Amino acid sequence: MSANGKLWGVGIGPGDPELMTVKAARVIGEADVVAFHSARHGRSISRGVAAPYMREGQIEEHLVYPVTTETIDHPGGYQGAMDEFYEQAAERLAAHLEAGRSVALLAAGDPLFYSSYMHMHKRLADRFEAEVIPGVTAVSAASAALAEPLVEGEEVLTVLPGTLPQEELTRRLRETDAAAIMKLGRTYPAVRQALKDSGRIDETYYVERASTDRQRVAKADDVEDADVPYFAIAVVPSPVNNRVEAEPSRGEVVVVGLGPGDQAWTTPEVRQELALATDLVGYTTYIDRVPIRPGQRRHASDNRVEAERAAMALDMAKRGARVAVVSSGDPGVFAMAAAVLEVAAEEQWRDVPVRILPGMTAANAVASRVGAPLGHDYAMLSLSDRLKPWDIVAKRVSAVASADMAFAVYNPASKSRTWQVAAMRDLVLEHRSPDTPVIIGRDVAGPEESIKIVRLADLDPADVDMRCLLIVGSSQTTVVESASGTTVFTPRHYPA
């Protein structure tokens, strides 16, 4: 291998020759062969950037793409034509390397970041010594052109190719904090629509040929589709730092559900609203689950002041704030959605917009851990008698039990409520077999998750606390033991 030449993947940066690294400039000047790509028009941007560092007498390998965006008459189509080109180009470079010549293959930006160099690397690095010199990416150059932070703190930056399907672009833009969309040109109409559909168009900037004397910066929606070259980027900056300010008339309350515990169960839609909110309102335990964002105000309170919390959120929204009211699970299931809407119905709040975003509820989370105990008709009940008298709770438990439905039990116990689980068990036993399965799910998707399956007759209140949810099966709910563990399901059919 020592008799062969060395392959260099040289990152030449985003376009300004002065943004090339010292090492890249040295290697270009010392290389026996300088290789670069271009479209069929023959003008290589990469060679133009590297020209100040090249010397007379160097061999130049001009690798011309057979196709860029146009159609091609090739048996393998576009991909077949490109694969054939890369194979032929690799062999051209291999001939120089076998002859002992060093080869500097120029790569715009960084060699391993959406670059053609990687196709040569995969074909040659196992045969010859190869080294990659990283370069300043176009994303960094675009951020510098905007003088705008891309990401801050715990924010997430997503780099997307504009060639993705429009629906996929929309989904990913909704999920991330900040984004850079590359490979524009003919893809820009679809990219623009994805930015609109995701609600991000107003905060997006367009940067063309960053760092060069032809650099152009504009608002993304002000650019004509026909004017967009391939070397342009759409940048959605850090939500904390973007310059789009909500007007007072745009104040609103969004009630969101975080899901039952694990952050992976918080929906992308909810994560986006949490990122855009100026203020968070909620029970301290739930607020603590939301990552801290610079500049975002957090209003945590006790779990027993729903109406006061709702009024606070509505008042801030009335004054122009974008408020996220945070619930665990789903906000519409024994949570803050009803509390906010009840207060919002008062005349003084009628002009404040209120939206509800769903989340995974605890009943479905617990059910998933054992199978499908809620696979047929089911009910959801709360054993708490703080907001309704116990005689109503007891009446509903008896009604559901007599109807032979599986049911989920929220708020089964707390430090001050210790007798309701036993009372519920005795009420259900009046209608159900002692062998009816009961699932006790504790802290599901949390660090102390546990699942226990017991007979109804053996349901012990000592096993249940405020972090539990119970699922009581119907007469048809079945427990199956198998090699994979215990499965519980309620079949979708019911005996005639």
Side-chain angles (χ1 to χ4, degrees):
M1 177 172 274
S2 60
N4 292 325
K6 182 175 180 178
L7 173 66
W8 294 88
V10 183
I12 61 170
D16 182 350
E18 292 186 338
L19 289 179
M20 195 181 302
T21 65
V22 173
K23 186 171 184 178
R26 176 180 62 79
V27 168
I28 290 170
E30 294 175 353
D32 299 312
V33 180
V34 177
F36 46 87
H37 292 85
S38 81
R40 287 190 291 182
H41 53 59
R43 297 184 301 275
S44 173
I45 295 174
S46 295
R47 190 198 182 285
V49 175
Y53 307 103
M54 295 172 64
R55 56 179 171 79
E56 290 187 14
Q58 285 179 303
I59 301 170
E60 297 186 20
E61 278 290 355
H62 189 177
L63 308 174
V64 180
Y65 295 116
V67 61
T68 49
T69 61
E70 66 274 18
T71 58
I72 188 170
D73 183 16
H74 188 281
Y78 173 87
Q79 192 59 52
M82 293 303 293
D83 288 342
E84 183 178 284
F85 163 70
Y86 288 133
E87 290 294 339
Q88 293 172 351
E91 290 311 307
R92 286 171 61 181
L93 300 186
H96 289 295
L97 295 167
E98 288 170 347
R101 303 184 190 102
S102 59
V103 177
L105 177 53
L106 308 181
D110 182 272
L112 297 178
F113 186 76
Y114 289 129
S115 167
S116 290
Y117 169 76
M118 64 186 69
H119 298 288
M120 298 297 98
H121 190 87
K122 289 185 287 187
R123 289 168 169 83
L124 297 172
D126 60 343
R127 298 163 55 189
F128 304 98
E129 183 182 1
E131 184 174 335
V132 175
I133 302 175
V136 176
T137 68
V139 175
S140 297
S143 177
L146 292 175
E148 187 90 15
L150 274 179
V151 277
E152 181 176 322
E154 303 302 315
E155 292 174 341
V156 174
L157 169 68
T158 301
V159 179
L160 300 166
T163 49
L164 281 176
Q166 182 179 311
E167 296 77 9
E168 181 68 6
L169 274 173
T170 300
R171 181 182 71 81
R172 290 177 181 264
L173 286 166
R174 284 175 176 157
E175 291 179 2
T176 194
D177 297 311
I181 309 174
M182 306 181 70
K183 302 186 180 183
L184 297 185
R186 63 187 173 84
T187 69
Y188 198 67
V191 169
R192 185 202 303 271
Q193 192 58 50
L195 287 164
K196 289 181 177 179
D197 293 344
S198 63
R200 310 300 295 271
I201 188 71
D202 290 339
E203 58 191 290
T204 304
Y205 295 90
Y206 167 90
V207 183
E208 178 182 312
R209 297 185 173 92
S211 83
T212 73
D213 56 7
R214 299 170 65 190
Q215 176 177 292
R216 177 188 174 203
V217 177
K219 294 292 292 182
D221 207 21
D222 294 340
V223 178
E224 294 293 332
D225 294 340
D227 296 339
V228 177
Y230 182 82
F231 290 103
I233 298 179
V235 180
V236 187
S238 155
V240 170
N241 293 286
N242 77 62
R243 304 170 196 159
V244 179
E245 297 292 339
E247 300 175 4
S249 61
R250 295 179 61 188
E252 67 171 343
V253 173
V254 184
V255 189
V256 304
L258 299 178
D262 193 305
Q263 195 172 36
W265 285 4
T266 301
T267 68
E269 184 181 35
V270 167
R271 285 200 293 268
Q272 183 183 8
E273 287 298 335
L274 291 171
L276 296 176
T278 60
D279 295 81
L280 302 183
V281 172
Y283 174 39
T284 302
T285 301
Y286 305 150
I287 289 283
D288 288 345
R289 287 175 52 188
V290 180
I292 294 175
R293 295 178 181 277
Q296 192 177 64
R297 297 177 292 270
R298 300 160 77 92
H299 310 272
S301 57
D302 184 84
N303 200 29
R304 293 168 294 181
V305 290
E306 288 92 345
E308 293 88 340
R309 192 181 301 145
M312 175 194 291
L314 291 161
D315 184 60
M316 287 190 293
K318 191 173 184 177
R319 290 183 276 115
R322 186 166 184 166
V323 186
V325 177
V326 181
S327 286
S328 181
D330 182 282
V333 180
F334 304 118
M336 281 302 297
V340 171
L341 291 172
E342 183 177 0
V343 177
E346 297 176 14
E347 188 62 37
Q348 61 178 319
W349 312 119
R350 291 289 178 88
D351 294 332
V352 178
V354 178
R355 290 188 291 126
I356 313 298
L357 298 187
M360 167 79 77
T361 188
N364 298 128
V366 172
S368 72
R369 292 303 199 234
V370 297
L374 303 178
H376 202 284
D377 300 337
Y378 69 91
M380 293 182 178
L381 303 173
S382 171
L383 284 197
S384 173
D385 57 357
R386 188 170 65 85
L387 299 176
K388 60 182 183 291
W390 175 254
D391 62 332
I392 295 296
V393 177
K395 186 182 296 184
R396 291 177 179 177
V397 169
S398 294
V400 170
S402 64
D404 197 21
M405 287 193 293
F407 63 98
V409 181
Y410 285 74
N411 308 310
S414 70
K415 293 178 181 178
S416 61
R417 293 186 298 104
T418 58
W419 55 271
Q420 282 92 335
V421 171
M424 180 209 71
R425 176 197 62 205
D426 296 341
L427 287 168
V428 178
L429 281 169
E430 295 176 9
H431 305 276
R432 302 276 173 91
S433 163
D435 293 328
T436 300
V438 178
I439 298 105
I440 305 172
R442 186 176 188 280
D443 192 33
V444 169
E448 298 179 15
E449 176 179 317
S450 66
I451 298 290
K452 188 174 184 179
I453 303 169
V454 301
R455 297 168 63 245
L456 177 60
D458 298 332
L459 177 59
D460 185 351
D463 291 335
V464 181
D465 61 26
M466 62 192 301
R467 300 177 69 185
C468 291
L469 179 134
L470 310 181
I471 295 178
V472 181
S474 73
S475 65
Q476 303 303 305
T477 302
T478 303
V479 180
V480 178
E481 300 291 346
S482 67
S484 59
T486 304
T487 300
V488 183
F489 68 92
T490 302
R492 294 179 62 190
H493 57 79
Y494 199 85

